[in-house]
Amino acid sequence: MNLVDKLLQADAGKATELETKVIKSNRLSRILGVKNATEITIREIPAKRLHELMSMQFGKNGKPDPEKSLAAQTLVAAEALVEPSMKDKSLQEHFSCKTPKDLAMKLFGLEVKQIADEVVILSGYGDVEDTDEEIKN
């Protein structure tokens, strides 16, 4: 049986399923006042959307802009977080945040970079350091 035959027998819905992963957040643990790292759940972002978000980190000259990089990483984290959801209006209100992005930054600070890196890997881009190296070249 060749690969086409195998694919024709596969569940077509699996091609659009988004994978989730549980990771740990030290910053959230500090906010909650617990000693062990708090588990959070992220979900894969579809390729086209992730590409849109990640392309926001480049300036007009085509080079990475550190300020824009943090904003793009925060958007990726905010969109990928399932638990806790950054879209939860009561959570936004409690922390005096107007947007999911604002809430992600307030709750996770610079940890959004680590969350975004995990999302990139989960979404199929492989190792983030390999991807960063490819972008530089």
Side-chain angles (χ1 to χ4, degrees), residues 68-83:
K68 289 183 177 187
S69 290
L70 181 59
Q73 291 164 345
T74 306
L75 285 169
V76 168
E79 190 161 322
L81 276 157
V82 175
E83 181 60 34

Side-chain angles (χ1 to χ4, degrees), residues 103-118:
L103 183 59
M105 181 51 70
K106 185 169 267 189
L107 292 179
F108 297 100
L110 291 176
E111 199 174 60
V112 295
K113 181 193 181 318
Q114 294 166 326
I115 296 169
D117 287 350
E118 288 286 344

Side-chain angles (χ1 to χ4, degrees), residues 85-104 106-107:
S85 172
M86 299 296 99
K87 297 173 185 169
D88 186 295
K89 295 296 182 188
S90 60
L91 203 53
Q92 289 175 16
E93 186 178 309
H94 180 75
F95 284 97
S96 302
C97 295
K98 293 182 179 180
T99 67
K101 178 184 170 193
D102 294 340
L103 183 59
K106 185 169 267 189
L107 292 179

